[in-house]
Amino acid sequence: MTILEKWVEQQAELTKPDKIHWCDGSEEEMRHLIEIGQKKEKINGGPVFFELNHKLWPNCYLHRSHPSDVARTEHLTYVCSPEKEDAGPNNNWMDPDQAKEKLRKLFNGCMKGRTMYVLPFIMGHPDSPYAKACVELTDITYVAVSMGIMTRMGKKALEKIGNSSDFGKGLHSIGDLDPNNRFIMHFPQENLIWSIGSGYGGNALLGKKCFSLRIASYLGLQQGWLAEHMLIIGIETPQGKIHYILAALPSACGKTNLAMLKSTLPGYKVWTLGDDISWINIGKDGRLYAINPEFGFFGVAPGTSMKTNPIMIETLKAGTYYPTLFTNVALNKDTNEPWWEGINEDIPKNLIDWQGRKFVPEQGNAAAHPNSRFTVSIKQCPVLSSEFDNPAGVPISAIIFGGRRTQTVPLISESFDWINGGFSGARMGSETTAAATSKVGVLRRDPMAMLPFCGYNMADYFKHWIEFGKRINNPPKIFSVNWFRKDNGDFLWPGFGENIRVLKWIIDRIENNIGAKETPIGFVPHIKDIDTTGLDIPAENLEKLFEVKKDEWIEEINDIEKFFAQFGKRMPQEIWNELEKLKKSI
Ligand code: SAT
Ligand code: MN
């Protein structure tokens, strides 16, 4: 018996499933699992999957989750390192033994009458030296199918694991779906995740945020690499050169749209490699190389349309052998098509809301849940980069940090160097939107968009970032973007496909084609260097987009200082030095 088989057996002794099914990720298996979800398995009294109109939406299925189980639950998510200090103020913490004792009671017999699906998968290309093998155990087809879409699942993972103990372990059960019995526990030192009581994406698809960010960030700390909440794109210039760029943006800042941006500038084209996570290593040549460990997109449906993200709509309808899942969207009863707010202007006459009830617009609720999602294979993306399967990853020319800020932060600025760039990531903030909380427009610091996803003390993460930079030859330039600056209530920048003009400035800086204007927070563009051909933006608005206002930045610095202070003595001196420098020059 291998170490893996032994581990599976032990988990089965605890959870007591009727059956154990080892998944191979094949087409037949996906079909089979969907059929079980349609006909046998139930969630909240209904089937796990509903078939959608396959003429218009090939191989697409609808899933309705339990109404109390529609988003990640950060307050029930824990990092269980032996020392509380090592989890940091950025994580909930529980002593590992105590956490296991608590959850063992919930896991005990929780799979009675159910099937345990054993999901062996690899995060990254099987031939990549950076890839990691994992196994998740789950008791619901929705998770098994979703993981089949989101990861490279099957035999290769088992081969990679062999008889070693070097693999990520995830035990998941939907439990009784009672929020009081819901926990997502990480044991970074054991490469282990225990998740119970939720079937939702980030809580249940353990390859995603749980493994590829929280556990992987800890592995990166040990092994000298970075697991980041960043998209990866290649930008092709009219000369045919492709620059690879990473970008970290908190949710609701258009990360998925940027990952498949449709350029409005002739000759420029964006190639997609990933929309959420990247693992960054230093290659033999001393440069940074990034891989997307995932194999699919788990994106927010509302707001996705032919206008905002035509390439995603094409991706969703591409119809390969991988199924595409829609979770908690609405349903057009007449056509059996999925529907969500923002997909088009008209509300279908016979619309069923995300909970399966007749939709009554007058009641003022959304038909699709604001956090309704699609799960789709990256292989269906028509602009997938030919380098996606390159085991070595792609060489990185620039890193972008961003956020939603109605004032203070310029459309684009360039950091002075790696540490100054790390500081710009560490002080990142974004204003909340209606989709995320009840309060709109509240500024939240979210360093590198990693605050909920760093599996250890964020102060140590900043230190790791700085040390990592010292090992890179010719580190990539680091930029900050803000598409959302306003003046008198109006957005100053059109955004979406026009953001290519900002990316073009970045490339011109990388290629040393142009100069820039120095400010206390970094370099900003000379107006003449932003290509606004065909845009109708008054020159004074362009000036306003790049303004660094003293009074706004004094307030900003105070807020940053307060945020950093919570990390106490563990905060690296280099970051404090950057803050001091900024203070002086402001
Ligand atoms: O649920 S996920 O973490 O996969 C997506 C998200 O909430 O950002
Ligand atoms: Mn994300």
Side-chain angles (χ1 to χ4, degrees):
M1 204 181 245
T2 62
I3 291 171
L4 166 62
E5 286 163 346
K6 184 89 202 141
W7 177 71
V8 172
E9 190 180 86
Q10 286 166 349
Q11 310 316 301
E13 275 165 23
L14 173 65
T15 56
K16 304 179 181 60
D18 280 13
K19 269 192 287 191
I20 300 180
H21 174 116
W22 288 68
C23 289
D24 61 12
S26 65
E27 180 175 4
E28 303 73 57
E29 185 178 76
M30 295 253 205
R31 240 190 260 128
H32 175 63
L33 293 177
I34 285 189
E35 208 176 294
I36 294 175
Q38 285 176 296
K39 296 188 180 150
K40 291 199 191 127
E41 224 173 55
K42 296 263 181 278
I43 197 148
N44 201 29
V48 175
F49 296 116
F50 299 85
E51 187 171 315
L52 292 165
N53 182 331
H54 278 191
K55 280 220 181 72
L56 300 169
W57 297 82
N59 214 2
C60 290
Y61 295 85
L62 169 67
H63 168 76
R64 292 194 185 115
S65 74
H66 191 279
S68 78
D69 186 31
V70 293
R72 272 186 300 109
T73 42
E74 284 172 20
H75 64 293
L76 303 172
T77 302
Y78 288 76
V79 168
C80 306
S81 41
E83 301 295 328
K84 183 171 199 281
E85 276 285 286
D86 291 335
N90 45 299
N91 284 303
N92 300 313
W93 177 84
M94 204 183 284
D95 172 77
D97 292 334
Q98 215 181 327
K100 282 185 188 160
E101 198 184 304
K102 193 177 176 75
L103 260 63
R104 217 174 268 125
K105 287 185 194 131
L106 298 175
F107 274 115
N108 192 355
C110 70
M111 295 190 188
K112 266 184 201 156
R114 307 183 68 87
T115 300
M116 173 189 274
Y117 298 101
V118 182
L119 317 174
F121 59 93
I122 303 183
M123 299 313 294
H125 191 278
D127 298 335
S128 173
Y130 312 130
K132 303 276 176 203
C134 304
V135 177
E136 173 170 356
L137 311 178
T138 184
D139 56 3
I140 178 146
T141 50
Y142 172 71
V143 169
V145 174
S146 298
M147 290 295 286
I149 301 167
M150 293 301 296
T151 72
R152 293 162 170 98
M153 187 190 286
K155 210 171 78 209
K156 288 249 164 85
L158 293 177
E159 285 166 10
K160 193 173 163 74
I161 294 168
N163 192 31
S164 85
S165 60
D166 180 22
F167 61 98
K169 301 170 202 68
L171 173 61
H172 169 257
S173 169
I174 53 165
D176 59 8
L177 290 172
D178 177 350
N180 292 312
N181 296 329
R182 182 174 297 161
F183 293 97
I184 298 96
M185 303 278 197
H186 303 73
F187 305 90
Q189 283 73 8
E190 297 171 62
N191 209 346
L192 175 68
I193 305 150
W194 277 11
S195 165
I196 189 160
S198 168
Y200 171 79
N203 294 337
L205 313 182
L206 302 185
K208 201 171 176 56
K209 301 300 208 281
C210 298
F211 183 78
S212 291
L213 287 178
R214 294 195 193 93
I215 299 284
S217 62
Y218 178 78
L219 293 176
L221 177 69
Q222 307 298 309
Q223 301 166 354
W225 53 281
L226 295 171
E228 294 294 330
H229 193 194
M230 292 179 181
L231 62 81
I232 315 176
I233 50 177
I235 305 166
E236 186 170 339
T237 67
Q239 293 74 39
K241 171 106 184 92
I242 300 181
H243 292 281
Y244 295 96
I245 287 179
L246 302 172
L249 300 150
S251 49
C253 292
K255 190 147 136 251
T256 302
N257 292 349
L258 179 59
M260 34 191 82
L261 179 143
K262 197 158 180 175
S263 165
T264 56
L265 277 185
Y268 286 84
K269 186 163 168 71
V270 171
W271 298 100
T272 305
L273 288 109
D275 78 328
D276 200 33
I277 297 174
S278 51
W279 287 356
I280 311 167
N281 280 272
I282 300 171
K284 287 200 185 79
D285 58 0
R287 287 187 70 185
L288 283 194
Y289 286 80
I291 62 163
N292 170 12
E294 300 193 280
F295 199 69
F297 304 119
F298 182 65
V300 176
T304 308
S305 71
M306 284 306 284
K307 241 193 239 155
T308 58
N309 196 338
I311 293 169
M312 186 56 93
I313 298 286
E314 221 183 298
T315 304
L316 294 170
K317 292 187 165 193
T320 61
Y321 86 74
Y322 295 101
T324 295
L325 308 182
F326 291 90
T327 301
N328 295 337
V329 299
L331 178 70
N332 181 337
K333 204 175 171 194
D334 295 329
T335 62
N336 200 26
E337 288 183 272
W339 191 89
W340 52 80
E341 277 70 17
I343 189 173
N344 48 34
E345 250 98 84
D346 324 305
I347 300 177
K349 210 163 69 233
N350 277 316
L351 191 61
I352 308 291
D353 76 6
W354 64 278
Q355 297 188 64
R357 305 169 305 198
K358 182 164 175 49
F359 178 63
V360 185
E362 293 72 30
Q363 289 176 344
N365 301 317
H369 189 278
N371 192 37
S372 54
R373 298 267 172 167
F374 48 75
T375 316
V376 62
S377 170
I378 200 165
K379 289 283 170 172
Q380 297 192 177
C381 177
V383 296
L384 182 65
S385 162
S386 58
E387 290 296 293
F388 174 72
D389 277 321
N390 187 338
V394 289
I396 297 304
S397 307
I399 297 176
I400 298 174
F401 293 121
R404 174 185 288 270
R405 299 294 301 269
T406 46
Q407 50 181 30
T408 317
V409 179
L411 174 63
I412 174 89
S413 62
E414 176 190 321
S415 298
F416 298 119
D417 54 34
W418 179 263
I419 293 182
N420 183 248
F423 169 61
S424 77
R427 61 175 166 76
M428 239 169 90
S430 200
E431 286 157 28
T432 51
T433 60
T437 61
S438 46
K439 264 201 194 142
V440 178
V442 181
L443 177 64
R444 286 221 186 121
R445 299 274 156 212
D446 185 359
M448 282 86 166
M450 278 293 279
L451 197 63
F453 305 119
C454 184
Y456 59 97
N457 192 319
M458 206 119 203
D460 300 347
Y461 167 91
F462 298 138
K463 185 79 193 161
H464 179 44
W465 173 278
I466 292 163
E467 295 305 319
F468 185 75
K470 291 179 186 161
R471 291 167 40 219
I472 314 170
N473 291 337
N474 194 8
K477 284 181 185 285
I478 298 177
F479 298 86
S480 300
V481 300
N482 172 28
W483 319 131
F484 303 96
R485 197 165 190 175
K486 284 186 175 177
D487 183 49
N488 284 325
D490 296 323
F491 286 115
L492 286 163
W493 181 250
F496 297 107
E498 306 300 355
N499 290 336
I500 189 69
R501 299 165 193 269
V502 178
L503 299 179
K504 176 180 183 297
W505 185 79
I506 289 176
I507 288 172
D508 284 334
R509 289 292 293 165
I510 296 168
E511 292 184 345
N512 283 318
N513 297 336
I514 52 171
K517 198 168 109 185
E518 188 169 338
T519 78
I521 61 156
F523 299 105
V524 300
H526 295 300
I527 303 286
K528 66 172 174 44
D529 291 329
I530 295 283
D531 185 340
T532 53
T533 326
L535 281 188
D536 189 19
I537 301 183
E540 62 184 80
N541 280 10
L542 285 171
E543 300 279 355
K544 283 178 188 162
L545 273 165
F546 302 120
E547 248 176 344
V548 177
K549 290 188 186 167
K550 188 175 166 177
D551 52 337
E552 287 178 353
W553 274 91
I554 289 174
E555 206 179 304
E556 180 79 3
I557 287 167
N558 283 334
D559 194 65
I560 295 167
E561 199 160 10
K562 260 189 242 145
F563 178 75
F564 285 173
Q566 66 177 309
F567 295 101
K569 284 214 227 22
R570 273 170 106 127
M571 197 68 180
Q573 189 55 44
E574 289 92 335
I575 298 285
W576 287 122
N577 295 349
E578 289 298 317
L579 185 68
E580 256 339 280
K581 269 193 263 174
L582 174 60
K583 243 189 216 175
K584 283 216 181 85
S585 57
I586 282 286

